[in-house]
Amino acid sequence: MGRALQFFIILVLLCSAWPAHAVEGAALERGAAVTDPLALRELDLREHRSDRPDRAGFGLRPLVAPAGSAAAPILNDELFALPSMAPVRRALDGEFERYVARHRASLPGETIGVGTSHDWQMFDRDLLYSRRSRFVLAGIVNRMDRAYVSPETCGEIRLIYRLTRAGDAEAVENAQSLRLPMTLNVVLRAKGEKKPVPGGIAITCKEIARRWLASAEWQQTGAEFAIRLMSAGGPLEFIEPADVDRIETNLQIAHAPKSPVRDFRTDYLLKVFRFDPKARVFEEAPMENQIDRERILADRNLAHDFKAWLLDPRRFNEFDRGTVLIPERFLAKAAIAATPAGFDPSELQPAFGLVQGEGATTPPVFSESDVVAALRKVAEVGVTPANIRSVAGFARRLNDVTCSGCHQTRGIGGFHFPGVDWMAAQPSNATVVPASPHFFGDQIRRRDILNSVKWGSSPDYSRGFSERPQLRTRSEFLGELAGTGYYDGWGAHCYQQSAKAADNDPSFRAWTCARGLACQPAGKTSRIGMCFVGSR
């Protein structure tokens, strides 16, 4: 077993079965996400309608189907027959066909198809489009921390659905999980076509933030919690289908079990479909900040333009802060997030080859001198980068600013929010913790932004690398993160320090481990690793 694979297995265990994460996570997320399994069941199925009989709830149907359609959960044969979803099905089918064609061209000696008889086992599209499956609400996440994208909408609210086999097993007490490796995220504007609050005044970002923060203090759980969330004064009171902006899909397109010729590998397909309100359909769209590496490396003019755009001091500062929005002409409409990607630079990483020194065979877009010169220009205008302080830091940000690079980092497989499984009476360990260390480690930053919005101050939307939360108020952040796997505890990502301080990369030298732990590199060339007991 390779060293990178060993570390990946340890990380998966940390994400899915380490009890401390469930305890710590529960303390971090309430008020910024809904993860209570019985509350999600009520929000999806609306089994208690006495409070508001007219309220449809948050099953998938009202968000994608015409108004006035049946109230029952929508099965996938009906879902993908809807005119609004026809482009989604066409685009997914096209990605599957291209994936198989690339595989056969690059790995002609390895079979690919549905079932265990193949070297590469494909996702079963027949089940995706079948009446034997449906998307079940797995979580609701407040992303008002993304208001820098469109301040007028106050950020986003994300309804996350997990693909699940449909059938009588929902009512069987000892039913095991019927979930399948795919999520569908419906992204809504946090402040869209809202009705006025009492008094005729339109709801504000401050009020939306206040409601979410207040919900963290509520004592209700389960269905009662869900009902209060939707009731007058609750954070979900005004969330409605008119606010839908887009759909994001993430599915495990194929996996290869460990064999004599390879370690195991899993590929996840990521796509985005933006809602066209005039045509009433979800159309394939470029993915935010998903750099189209192959196209940029193949087109010298495009590469030149991309370099000039990103290295402009103002753009570079946004890139460092994690708030950059790369123009669509440089972006892809699909991405494959391969896991495990490892800690060393490789073809599996989305930005591999764009920066000099990674070992790629094609000429890089950014030379080391380009990055050094950009850092010097930023310093000349009086800005001190918070994250990118070296060529290696620049390369790491290029990867983690993308959708696929972020999903490769500190995730549960290829997901950051698989959600708790409320359909099985005895869910497996993999579904006890609703989200990844990356998700939980980012909650304090998100809550800080919510508080800033609530009190009318200017939020700091910056974020650190996906692997390591960015500290702002050290005492506040460390009060919840210190000693945990989200920051510097067992299993946290870290940087192996050199005895000579000058040899430590300035982008990562603060990535230390808590007392009693030592950083153990997980690759052959990278000094990035994980915190383990020092005597190991």
Side-chain angles (χ1 to χ4, degrees):
M1 183 182 294
R3 186 174 179 84
L5 178 59
Q6 289 176 322
F7 275 86
F8 177 76
I9 292 173
I10 290 170
L11 183 55
V12 169
L13 291 173
L14 263 173
C15 296
S16 60
W18 192 250
H21 281 278
V23 177
E24 295 157 1
L28 288 173
E29 47 73 21
R30 192 161 182 180
V34 180
T35 61
D36 180 328
L38 295 181
L40 291 167
R41 180 186 179 97
E42 174 64 23
L43 292 167
D44 187 310
L45 300 177
R46 290 297 278 129
E47 294 171 316
H48 303 82
R49 287 181 172 267
S50 59
D51 59 315
R52 285 185 61 182
D54 61 321
R55 184 66 188 263
F58 294 91
L60 186 58
R61 179 185 292 275
L63 300 166
V64 296
S69 58
I74 187 167
L75 300 178
N76 278 17
D77 61 336
E78 182 185 356
L79 173 67
F80 285 100
L82 293 172
S84 63
M85 294 293 289
V88 177
R89 179 168 182 166
R90 285 196 301 270
L92 290 176
D93 285 343
E95 295 297 344
F96 270 79
E97 291 163 7
R98 285 187 286 274
Y99 182 89
V100 172
R102 289 194 301 268
H103 176 93
R104 289 175 175 164
S106 60
L107 298 170
E110 298 187 26
T111 62
I112 185 169
V114 176
T116 57
S117 62
H118 296 279
D119 299 317
W120 285 75
Q121 299 169 22
M122 293 283 292
F123 185 94
D124 188 352
R125 273 185 291 166
D126 288 342
L127 188 55
L128 173 60
Y129 303 138
S130 167
R131 66 176 291 101
R132 295 183 294 116
S133 64
R134 78 175 184 93
F135 286 99
V136 174
L137 184 65
I140 300 179
V141 181
N142 179 334
R143 293 306 309 271
M144 293 182 73
D145 63 292
R146 284 181 45 78
Y148 66 88
V149 178
S150 52
E152 69 280 2
T153 70
C154 308
E156 302 166 350
I157 304 298
R158 300 189 179 191
L159 309 180
I160 302 178
Y161 300 85
R162 182 71 178 228
L163 182 62
T164 306
R165 295 176 188 269
D168 295 337
E170 292 182 45
V172 178
E173 287 189 2
N174 63 350
Q176 297 299 308
S177 177
L178 301 175
R179 305 203 315 171
L180 297 165
M182 178 177 180
T183 59
L184 183 149
N185 303 347
V186 178
V187 183
L188 303 100
R189 294 172 285 274
K191 180 179 181 292
E193 302 298 325
K194 300 290 185 293
K195 298 176 182 178
V197 296
I201 302 172
I203 195 167
T204 63
C205 298
K206 292 175 63 174
E207 173 63 12
I208 296 172
R210 186 199 66 77
R211 292 183 178 203
W212 276 98
L213 290 166
S215 70
E217 306 302 323
W218 295 351
Q219 299 303 308
Q220 292 89 348
T221 59
E224 290 184 357
F225 181 55
I227 291 169
R228 188 169 179 184
L229 288 170
M230 292 184 288
S231 298
L236 301 181
E237 178 185 6
F238 295 123
I239 298 297
E240 54 192 25
D243 299 330
V244 172
D245 178 71
R246 65 188 182 276
I247 283 175
E248 300 174 345
T249 60
N250 180 3
L251 63 90
Q252 186 189 100
I253 191 169
H255 76 277
K258 181 175 172 60
S259 71
V261 298
R262 70 164 64 251
D263 282 332
F264 79 89
R265 160 95 172 267
T266 306
D267 286 353
Y268 295 83
L269 170 66
L270 282 64
K271 296 279 292 179
V272 170
F273 303 89
R274 194 166 296 279
F275 185 64
D276 183 337
K278 292 184 179 179
R280 307 294 299 173
V281 296
F282 290 95
E283 293 285 4
E284 183 182 34
M287 301 171 63
E288 183 178 296
N289 290 349
Q290 185 64 43
I291 301 166
D292 194 333
R293 177 183 72 183
E294 293 183 4
R295 192 161 54 87
I296 289 174
L297 288 175
D299 186 331
R300 179 172 294 182
N301 291 330
L302 190 65
H304 175 272
D305 291 349
F306 181 51
K307 179 168 71 172
W309 184 88
L310 188 59
L311 295 187
D312 174 271
R314 184 166 67 91
R315 300 285 182 242
F316 191 94
N317 184 44
E318 293 174 346
F319 183 55
D320 170 67
R321 290 168 48 83
T323 59
V324 73
L325 295 172
I326 299 173
E328 290 187 356
R329 63 185 293 237
F330 303 120
L331 304 180
K333 290 186 176 181
I336 296 293
T339 60
F343 289 73
D344 293 333
S346 76
E347 285 280 359
L348 300 182
Q349 297 169 336
F352 177 75
L354 294 180
V355 180
Q356 181 182 357
E358 294 184 317
T361 57
T362 54
V365 175
F366 302 95
S367 68
E368 292 185 3
S369 59
D370 289 333
V371 178
V372 172
L375 286 168
R376 186 181 304 116
K377 288 181 181 179
V378 168
E380 288 172 355
V381 297
V383 175
T384 300
N387 300 289
I388 303 172
R389 298 173 179 174
S390 64
V391 175
F394 180 85
R396 188 160 295 271
R397 181 59 106 195
L398 268 180
N399 281 294
D400 87 356
V401 78
T402 67
C403 302
S404 57
C406 181
H407 277 269
Q408 288 176 330
T409 306
R410 308 223 73 193
I412 300 176
F415 303 102
H416 280 308
F417 196 99
V420 174
D421 183 5
W422 52 261
M423 292 179 67
Q426 298 177 359
S428 66
N429 281 346
T431 58
V432 168
V433 179
S436 70
H438 168 72
F439 172 88
F440 285 125
D442 198 38
Q443 290 309 301
I444 297 177
R445 182 189 70 89
R446 298 183 191 182
R447 193 173 63 210
D448 177 64
I449 290 170
L450 279 180
N451 274 301
S452 293
V453 174
K454 172 186 172 181
W455 295 110
S457 56
S458 298
D460 177 2
Y461 292 109
S462 66
R463 65 176 179 86
F465 293 108
S466 297
E467 291 160 302
R468 187 88 170 192
Q470 176 180 306
L471 298 183
R472 296 179 186 168
T473 305
R474 186 172 180 83
S475 59
E476 176 186 350
F477 275 59
L478 286 181
E480 293 185 69
L481 295 182
T484 71
Y486 310 128
Y487 184 68
D488 63 352
W490 194 91
H493 283 192
C494 57
Y495 176 79
Q496 187 183 46
Q497 305 289 320
S498 171
K500 189 176 180 181
D503 293 338
N504 292 324
D505 192 303
S507 294
F508 314 115
R509 60 188 172 203
W511 294 21
T512 57
C513 296
R515 182 176 298 179
L517 302 177
C519 188
Q520 299 188 28
K524 295 179 180 178
T525 61
S526 173
R527 287 163 65 180
I528 303 295
M530 298 170 73
C531 296
F532 292 123
V533 177
S535 61
R536 281 192 55 181

